[in-house]
Amino acid sequence: MNFLESVKKRAKAQIKTIVLPESLEPRTLRAAHQILAEGIAKIILLGNEEEIKKAAEYNNAQISAAAIIDPANYAEFDSLVTKLYELRKEKGMTPEDARQLLSKNAVALGDMLVKEGIADGMVAGAVHSTADVLRPSLQILKTAPGVSIVSSFFVMVVPNCEYGNNGVFIFADCGLNQNPNAEQLAAIAVSAADSYRALLGEEPIVALLSHSTKGSAKHADVDKVTKAVSIIRELAPNLKADGEFQTDAAIVPSIGASKAPGNTLAGHANVLVFPNLDAGNIGYKLVERLANAKAYGPLTQGISKPVNDLSRGCSADDIVGVVAITAVQAQG
């Protein structure tokens, strides 16, 4: 069973409700059709019911099993407005501001549905930028308890690969934090390990990557990574995490043994933490294109409830996969 099939199976075992705010987007409608047909999750679409049904019919998408919430006639809308106002009034939001936001911004409305437990998670980004997806999510849902930074990760599934978990890795952070400091890098690593455990059901082995392996180079960038490793050992002393490692020393057992002799984690990593966004973004795209890998993400970790951002170049199948992952995150 491959990664996505495994995730879908887990999603079907404990059905969750996922809100898709981009409800007139053809890819979203085709994805909703498939999700409902496969029984992966319950779906909430946002907007005018007549317009959504016409768009679905035009795109040959059967969405009759989806719930459609139109803010213009939703019975709980006034309650959501009041709760958003109470949540944001100290930031200067007025009741009218809250009403306007939830009337016009489907992503913010989706966040409120998740916050109030009407939905268990949200997936957006097919037509919205990452900032437009994550900003209201951070304002409304906020970070999870004990989490200091929201970050992103990809699940990378590399075909015919003996490394990692039979070619399955988590790469972090490849989509959100530009140049994390040592404390932030440590927090990203701990979150990525939690994400690996939640989605793969197995023990994470975390490598913090660098252009250096265990002191082979001297530079402030290397010092940042080694400091992050020290912080991880304080934050999560039982977590299998180490660095600094070059990528080959992190994932290839023979090279790990050569470059870091005696290190039991070298060569066995399944979670790769990149030192900055440039390295992470370049790294995942190289693996995706040159190794013909499947990249699921960018997925978000650290928000109090699961919200995931799509690439604007995503396909309907990509949306299905991210919804399945979001549903499994919601189970946790």
Side-chain angles (χ1 to χ4, degrees), residues 47-49 68-77:
N48 179 273
E49 183 171 358
I68 298 176
I69 291 179
D70 182 351
N73 55 30
Y74 181 46
E76 300 299 320
F77 186 73

Side-chain angles (χ1 to χ4, degrees), residues 137-159:
S137 301
L138 291 171
Q139 291 172 344
I140 293 170
L141 297 172
K142 305 186 183 301
T143 57
V147 174
S148 60
I149 186 171
V150 171
S151 57
S152 74
F153 68 95
F154 281 82
V155 177
M156 303 296 298
V157 181
V158 186

Side-chain angles (χ1 to χ4, degrees), residues 44 119 127 132 145 149 163 173 205 220 250:
I44 295 175
V127 296
D132 288 341
I149 186 171
Y163 306 127
D173 179 351
I205 301 174

Side-chain angles (χ1 to χ4, degrees), residues 249-325:
I251 66 172
V252 181
S254 61
I255 296 177
S258 173
K259 291 188 174 183
N263 189 300
T264 59
L265 303 188
H268 301 284
N270 47 39
V271 176
L272 302 183
V273 178
F274 293 83
N276 57 48
L277 190 58
D278 282 341
N281 192 271
I282 291 166
Y284 101 78
K285 288 183 176 178
L286 279 172
V287 174
E288 181 183 27
R289 299 302 177 183
L290 298 185
N292 197 30
K294 183 65 178 178
Y296 295 97
L299 303 164
T300 307
Q301 53 192 11
I303 299 177
S304 64
K305 294 188 177 182
V307 172
N308 282 314
D309 174 40
L310 300 161
S311 165
R312 277 175 281 180
C314 67
S315 66
D317 286 342
D318 293 332
I319 299 173
V320 173
V322 173
V323 167
I325 290 169

Side-chain angles (χ1 to χ4, degrees), residues 218-254:
K218 304 295 182 184
H219 192 275
D221 289 345
V222 178
D223 295 339
K224 178 179 81 167
V225 176
T226 58
K227 182 179 179 182
V229 171
S230 297
I231 295 168
I232 291 169
R233 288 174 179 157
E234 295 177 4
L235 291 174
N238 295 321
L239 178 62
K240 291 184 176 180
D242 206 351
E244 83 284 11
F245 289 132
Q246 294 163 300
T247 303
D248 55 358
I251 66 172
V252 181
S254 61

Side-chain angles (χ1 to χ4, degrees), residues 98-178:
R99 183 171 296 278
Q100 283 294 317
L101 182 64
L102 295 185
S103 296
K104 304 297 184 182
N105 188 320
V107 172
L109 177 58
D111 284 319
M112 284 301 298
L113 295 174
V114 174
K115 183 174 182 61
E116 294 305 307
I118 298 164
D120 300 299
M122 181 174 72
V123 173
V127 296
H128 289 82
S129 70
T130 294
D132 288 341
V133 172
L134 295 186
R135 186 186 303 109
S137 301
L138 291 171
Q139 291 172 344
I140 293 170
L141 297 172
K142 305 186 183 301
T143 57
V147 174
S148 60
I149 186 171
V150 171
S151 57
S152 74
F153 68 95
F154 281 82
V155 177
M156 303 296 298
V157 181
V158 186
N160 305 313
C161 178
E162 62 189 286
Y163 306 127
N165 181 358
N166 295 316
V168 180
F169 296 87
I170 275 182
F171 285 13
D173 179 351
C174 304
L176 194 56
N177 294 288
Q178 185 69 48

